């Protein structure tokens, strides 16, 4: 169901078995000056329960010109499923390893381009016909970046991240073919807290998504910070992403 293909988060459901997906994403900010990050990503549907992603990061957030920042590896395993007609409940565990060479100076631990580290989490997704609801919680552990940290800054070593996502299938009203375009609307809430430091933030990310021929996906999203008392490198970011899936290739 395409309304489960969240833009800012991953659902408990996986991509199709024996498939390969390619993503090209650009995210960035316009103020105080335009800066962006390019994220190529390859996804593998190893089985109906296991999928693996590998991503690279290139940006000009930390210097004047675009440069390679590092990479991350992500895996998700679905361990629980209750399926019925036009609805299901699923749960999965996931993990990420990131090796990034940027300087570290922000309170937020962001493993998707800013920080080296480890992540482990749980996600639960409920599909109810045209509406999908999903929530996740994860633990993030900061590792030493390969870039030089700024001296004299005491940064948190770990954080707790939490998300809540809603999706709605706006079109088509009735399916007649897998080749029909799908239009999906999303609102996602993304937050983090640093234990023992009383630091936290929350942002909302409305998004629109177009699915073409059941193989091509186009995502547009804009994050808006609702509140924060921690320093962050990437906030109020836009996202533009193109994805294409090859089925039955593994």
């Amino acid at each position: 169901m395409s309304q489960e293909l969240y833009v800012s988060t991953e659902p408990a459901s996986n991509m199709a078995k024996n498939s390969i997906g390619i993503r090209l994403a650009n995210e960035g900010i316009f103020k105080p000056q335009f800066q962006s990050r390019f994220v190529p990503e390859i996804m593998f549907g190893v089985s109906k329960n296991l999928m693996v992603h590998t991503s690279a990061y290139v940006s000009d957030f930390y210097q004047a010109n675009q440069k390679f920042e590092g990479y991350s590896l992500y895996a998700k395993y679905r361990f629980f499923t209750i399926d019925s007609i036009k609805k299901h409940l699923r749960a999965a565990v996931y993990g990420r390893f990131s090796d990034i060479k940027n300087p570290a100076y922000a309170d937020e631990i962001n493993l998707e381009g800013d920080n080296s580290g480890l992540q482990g989490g749980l996600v639960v997704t409920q599909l109810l016909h045209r509406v999908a609801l999903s929530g996740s919680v994860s633990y993030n552990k900061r590792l030493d970046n390969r870039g030089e940290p700024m001296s004299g800054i005491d940064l948190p070593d770990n954080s707790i991240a939490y998300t809540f996502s809603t999706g709605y299938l706006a079109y088509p009203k009735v399916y007649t073919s897998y080749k029909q375009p799908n239009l999906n609307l999303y609102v996602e809430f993304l937050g983090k807290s640093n234990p023992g430091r009383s630091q936290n933030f929350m942002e909302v990310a409305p998004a629109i998504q177009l699915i073409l021929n059941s193989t091509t996906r186009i995502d547009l999203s804009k994050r808006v910070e609702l509140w924060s008392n921690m320093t962050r490198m990437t906030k109020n970011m836009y996202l533009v992403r193109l994805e294409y899936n090859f089925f039955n290739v593994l």
Side-chain angles (χ1 to χ4, degrees):
M1 292 296 180
S2 57
Q3 65 266 37
E4 272 192 78
L5 301 175
Y6 299 109
V7 175
S8 297
T9 62
E10 285 282 341
S13 300
N14 286 335
M15 63 190 297
K17 177 184 176 181
N18 296 330
S19 64
I20 295 177
I22 297 175
R23 286 177 175 174
L24 298 175
N26 180 261
E27 57 185 6
I29 57 176
F30 294 98
K31 295 180 180 180
Q33 63 188 28
F34 178 74
Q35 296 173 296
S36 67
R37 172 174 284 137
F38 178 63
V39 186
E41 183 175 1
I42 301 177
M43 309 176 294
F44 302 92
V46 180
S47 70
K48 69 176 183 178
N49 293 324
L50 177 64
M51 64 184 295
V52 177
H53 295 201
T54 179
S55 303
Y57 305 96
V58 179
S59 90
D60 60 357
F61 284 127
Y62 293 87
Q63 64 287 318
N65 299 313
Q66 295 277 333
K67 77 163 188 176
F68 175 72
E69 300 173 295
Y71 68 93
S72 71
L73 302 173
Y74 171 91
K76 180 176 60 178
Y77 181 78
R78 187 181 72 185
F79 66 88
F80 178 84
T81 300
I82 298 178
D83 288 342
S84 59
I85 299 176
K86 295 183 179 180
K87 65 179 181 180
H88 60 237
L89 176 66
R90 296 174 177 175
V93 291
Y94 61 92
R96 183 186 297 272
F97 167 75
S98 295
D99 185 14
I100 306 296
K101 58 182 179 181
N102 286 323
Y105 62 85
D107 294 324
E108 181 192 2
I109 301 174
N110 174 34
L111 303 186
E112 298 182 56
D114 293 322
N115 300 111
S116 295
L118 297 170
Q119 179 189 47
L122 170 71
V123 56
V124 178
T125 302
Q126 172 78 71
L127 174 69
L128 299 169
H129 192 25
R130 290 182 173 270
V131 176
L133 307 173
S134 188
S136 74
V137 61
S138 64
Y139 171 79
N140 300 278
K141 172 66 176 178
R142 187 195 301 267
L143 300 178
D144 290 338
N145 282 22
R146 289 182 290 160
E148 291 295 327
M150 296 183 67
S151 61
I153 296 181
D154 179 25
L155 297 177
D157 293 325
N158 51 72
S159 69
I160 303 297
Y162 32 87
T163 71
F164 176 73
S165 302
T166 63
Y168 179 74
L169 175 63
Y171 180 86
K173 296 301 182 182
V174 179
Y175 274 105
T176 59
S177 168
Y178 285 113
K179 294 184 178 181
Q180 283 180 284
N182 283 207
L183 180 65
N184 301 306
L185 306 177
Y186 300 94
V187 177
E188 302 186 70
F189 295 89
L190 315 163
K192 286 179 185 171
S193 297
N194 294 334
R197 293 181 177 244
S198 299
Q199 295 175 326
N200 59 81
F201 79 82
M202 176 63 67
E203 58 187 3
V204 61
I208 186 170
Q209 180 184 82
L210 182 64
I211 308 293
L212 302 174
N213 201 31
S214 296
T215 59
T216 303
R217 167 179 163 182
I218 302 170
D219 296 334
L220 300 173
S221 177
K222 179 66 169 70
R223 297 189 182 190
V224 178
E225 188 176 78
L226 299 177
W227 67 79
S228 174
N229 63 350
M230 69 170 71
T231 57
R232 305 179 60 203
M233 190 62 204
T234 50
K235 61 181 180 179
N236 297 326
M237 297 181 68
Y238 73 83
L239 171 67
V240 179
R241 182 166 58 208
L242 175 65
E243 175 182 325
Y244 189 84
N245 289 275
F246 302 89
F247 298 109
N248 299 314
V249 293
L250 296 177

